Amino acid sequence: MTLLHDRDLAHAFDHASGTYDRLTGLNPGYRTDLLRSARRLRLPGDGAGLHLLDLGCGTGASTRALLRAAPRARITAVDASAGMLRRALAKPWPDGVRFLHLRAEELPTAGEGPFDAVFAAYLFRNVSDPDGVLATVRSLLRPGGRLAVHEYSLGGSPAHRALWTAVCQGVIIPAGTLTGDRALYRHLWRSVLDFDTAPVFTGRLTRAGFTRARALPLAGWQTGITHTFVARNGGTETAEAAR
């Protein structure tokens, strides 16, 4: 099948936005794992004085995880799907959280940043130019700034591919078909199979200029399927993050 890209993918997410939270709620550990990944940024002082970017925020589940990990930080959350953002904006948020309808590539020209840390959940499989987006992220991060990527990225074992396909064919795609979003959830299935394995994406981070890049596993059925990737923008801590 042909994967969805750019505007087609954004429109698919727009259409699915009304049922997205209910479907992700069927995934055991979905929100717990997002919080675990956000906490792996290891932000000091509950994020006091820090400006964080949630890149590809969707309906706000990743934003909520980032807020719980750093409740005193200022958070800018962005997404390319207007429908997903409407769902996020309908939820209660403190004054330090704001949402913007932007693609990752548009952030520098929109005058956003710099940021002390970037959190990107389920984003990099869905961009046409992951290396270009990583370059954008580096340009937005302060020196020493922290990156955490929470992503479906298989460990490389045939068993991981088989389990992912079984879950998609048996649960995810049938559920998405009932809501009229079969194309989006077939895209999800294939995009994970076609995306970098965890070692390959770790190498991509290093080639993009990030330091201390590593892949950390997540627990439960998603072990070997979903990883947290952590890295730094160079080796020098920001003044804020060093406190």
Side-chain angles (χ1 to χ4, degrees), residues 65-87:
L66 194 55
L67 181 62
R68 289 183 63 189
R72 300 175 65 191
R74 183 163 52 100
I75 298 173
T76 297
V78 304
D79 202 273
S81 165
M84 300 291 268
L85 277 176
R86 280 194 295 271
R87 295 288 170 176

Side-chain angles (χ1 to χ4, degrees), residues 23 26 41 120 135 179 229:
L23 287 181
L26 298 175
L41 283 165
T179 63
F229 299 88

Side-chain angles (χ1 to χ4, degrees), residues 17-97:
S17 61
T19 58
Y20 190 81
D21 285 342
R22 289 201 299 275
L23 287 181
T24 56
L26 298 175
N27 180 350
Y30 181 85
R31 287 168 178 77
T32 300
D33 285 343
L34 281 171
L35 178 58
R36 183 173 289 113
S37 289
R39 284 177 171 162
R40 284 171 168 170
L41 283 165
R42 298 172 63 93
L43 298 172
D46 288 336
L50 303 184
H51 188 192
L52 314 180
L53 174 65
D54 182 15
L55 190 57
C57 64
T59 61
S62 56
T63 315
R64 188 71 64 190
L66 194 55
L67 181 62
R68 289 183 63 189
R72 300 175 65 191
R74 183 163 52 100
I75 298 173
T76 297
V78 304
D79 202 273
S81 165
M84 300 291 268
L85 277 176
R86 280 194 295 271
R87 295 288 170 176
L89 285 165
K91 299 170 183 177
W93 300 99
D95 291 340
V97 178

Side-chain angles (χ1 to χ4, degrees), residues 43-45 47-51 116 142-143 146 237-243:
L43 298 172
L50 303 184
H51 188 192
D116 298 289
R142 297 183 190 277
R146 308 177 186 201
E237 293 278 1
T238 63
E240 295 90 341
R243 289 186 310 188

